[in-house]
Amino acid sequence: MYSDSATEAWTLDSSFFIFVVAGFLAQLIDGTLGMAYGISCSTLLLNFGIPPAVASASVHTAEVFTTGVSGLSHLFLNNVNKSLFFKIAVPGSIGAIIGAYLVSDIFDGGVIKPYISSYLLIMGVVLVVKSFKPVKAKEEVKRLSLLGFVGGFLDAIGGGGWGPIVSTNLIFQGKTPKETIGTVNTAEFFVAFFSTGVFLFFVGIDSWKVIIGLITGGVAAAPIGAIAAKKVEAKTLMLSVGLLIVTISVYTIYKSIF
């Protein structure tokens, strides 16, 4: 059973290594497909008996470190479009700050999750269909600043969603999957950093055993995910992203109903 007592906070027992495995698997998925760190990690932690509030705070804090290493890995492998990066990272950070403040002090962000998931379910199906057609790269995409802001805002409010919202829209509009995943992953560091700062200010955190385990596993997996994103073919990445989005959306809608 999980315990957050001070005496057990730094004990390297079997539960710590469970957190390491959870962080590794979640970051491997996120680094390869550009999304799903939050929901993968949170789902694994909840199944291991971690309380929801502790899981959410731990995931957000660990994500700052794992996205940092993931972003550096994607930069090293030239998976990042620098122009695209700035156009989504800055408004995304602003949206994350506002969203984190609202969910910390004003209202419960969980109520909007089913609506976001319904939208993403449609996007996921479209990406699956498009993956069977020729992939045509496009340089220009529309409303990047708005997309970044909405992605950061909903990510902070809903406890995740930056990757699914931003990556799926960019791929849908014609950006190559490898470039999209690398750029969105790198920008996610700033989104996670600013939202976590707000969460720490309003909510605080003391689940360092969970956080350090997630960071350890996530940092180890980050370079592997970046390499996988670079090596896998565009159509395969698009299909994988679409299927993952459909799976996550159906699961979230199901949990909200039942």
Side-chain angles (χ1 to χ4, degrees), residues 181-213:
I181 291 168
T183 305
V184 171
N185 255 261
T186 305
E188 189 175 13
F189 166 76
F190 295 93
V191 174
F193 178 84
F194 285 107
S195 62
T196 299
V198 176
F199 284 131
L200 289 175
F201 180 80
F202 283 98
V203 180
I205 189 169
D206 57 7
S207 53
W208 292 107
K209 179 179 179 180
V210 181
I211 293 169
I212 293 173

Side-chain angles (χ1 to χ4, degrees), residues 219-239:
V219 166
I224 301 174
I227 293 171
K230 186 177 182 67
K231 297 294 185 183
V232 179
E233 292 184 358
K235 294 181 71 171
T236 303
L237 280 176
M238 186 181 292
L239 176 61

Side-chain angles (χ1 to χ4, degrees), residues 12-89:
L12 297 181
D13 56 12
S14 59
S15 65
F16 174 80
F17 294 102
I18 288 175
F19 305 145
V20 172
V21 172
F24 182 90
L25 294 175
Q27 184 56 46
L28 187 62
I29 295 169
D30 186 83
T32 304
L33 300 180
M35 63 191 70
Y37 177 85
I39 190 168
S40 299
C41 215
S42 297
T43 301
L44 288 168
L45 290 178
L46 292 173
N47 286 333
F48 290 140
I50 306 300
V54 175
S56 179
S58 301
V59 168
H60 274 95
T61 305
E63 197 170 20
V64 174
F65 297 88
T66 58
T67 54
V69 176
S70 179
L72 289 173
S73 300
H74 281 292
L75 280 168
F76 180 77
L77 294 169
N78 295 316
N79 292 346
V80 178
N81 180 318
K82 294 181 177 61
S83 175
L84 176 62
F85 166 80
F86 286 107
K87 290 177 181 177
I88 61 174

Side-chain angles (χ1 to χ4, degrees), residues 129-205:
V129 173
K130 288 187 69 172
S131 70
F132 292 98
K133 300 177 180 179
V135 178
K136 298 180 180 179
K138 184 190 294 185
E139 288 298 319
E140 296 297 326
V141 293
K142 301 177 181 178
R143 296 180 287 275
L144 280 175
S145 296
L146 178 61
L147 176 61
F149 178 85
V150 172
F153 180 79
L154 294 179
D155 181 81
I157 284 184
W162 169 257
I165 292 167
V166 181
S167 292
T168 52
N169 272 278
L170 291 175
I171 295 173
F172 176 77
Q173 291 191 56
K175 300 300 289 184
T176 59
K178 182 195 78 171
E179 185 179 79
T180 296
I181 291 168
T183 305
V184 171
N185 255 261
T186 305
E188 189 175 13
F189 166 76
F190 295 93
V191 174
F193 178 84
F194 285 107
S195 62
T196 299
V198 176
F199 284 131
L200 289 175
F201 180 80
F202 283 98
V203 180
I205 189 169

